[in-house]
Amino acid sequence: QVQLVESGGGLVQPGGSLRLSCAVSGSIFSTNDMAWYRQAPGKEREMVAAITSGGSTKYTDSVKGRFTISRDNAKNTVYLQMSSLKPEDTAVYYCNVDITSYSRRNYQYWGQGTRITVSS
């Protein structure tokens, strides 16, 4: 059984900062690509940032320079540091993790989602 537990969402004023965390636990041989997605009301879910097991990162254009994705492999945790937040960043944020099991099969898991509201 694999669990993803997200934390760190909430209400923040425009220009503020938040840090999201997603901790992965369970029977895991390795944690591979990790990513954050978001879904705003009435919109499709989109990839915000991703990080490989080696630390390579990519971001959607709208968050470049404002968001930073990182990971702690020892803790099987991925983070999203968000700064200069804008109202258009308001969404439910989900972590997504690719995991290799001890049987050497790959699975993708989603976190439960954490809501971020950027508003004055």
Side-chain angles (χ1 to χ4, degrees):
Q1 185 76 7
V2 175
Q3 289 187 324
L4 276 64
V5 178
E6 299 181 26
S7 60
L11 174 65
V12 63
Q13 293 187 342
S17 299
L18 280 176
R19 189 175 85 151
L20 302 182
S21 299
C22 175
V24 185
S25 62
S27 182
I28 302 166
F29 176 75
S30 67
T31 304
N32 308 315
D33 292 353
M34 308 177 88
W36 288 96
Y37 286 71
R38 67 184 178 187
Q39 187 165 19
K43 295 188 177 181
E44 293 186 355
R45 189 173 298 189
E46 65 169 346
M47 193 277 291
V48 176
I51 185 167
T52 67
S53 56
S56 296
T57 60
K58 61 179 179 181
Y59 299 90
T60 191
D61 286 346
S62 62
V63 308
K64 286 180 180 176
R66 301 188 298 121
F67 291 10
T68 301
I69 189 170
S70 62
R71 61 190 289 166
D72 184 333
N73 291 329
K75 296 181 179 179
N76 281 332
T77 300
V78 61
Y79 305 97
L80 186 67
Q81 178 67 47
M82 303 178 289
S83 60
S84 302
L85 283 160
K86 305 175 181 180
E88 51 264 43
D89 294 318
T90 295
V92 178
Y93 284 70
Y94 300 89
C95 63
N96 175 271
V97 180
D98 182 85
I99 290 166
T100 301
S101 69
Y102 283 105
S103 62
R104 301 302 192 269
R105 296 183 65 180
N106 281 21
Y107 299 90
Q108 280 205 12
Y109 291 90
W110 289 92
Q112 80 278 11
T114 185
R115 184 175 301 276
I116 292 175
T117 302
V118 184
S119 175
S120 55

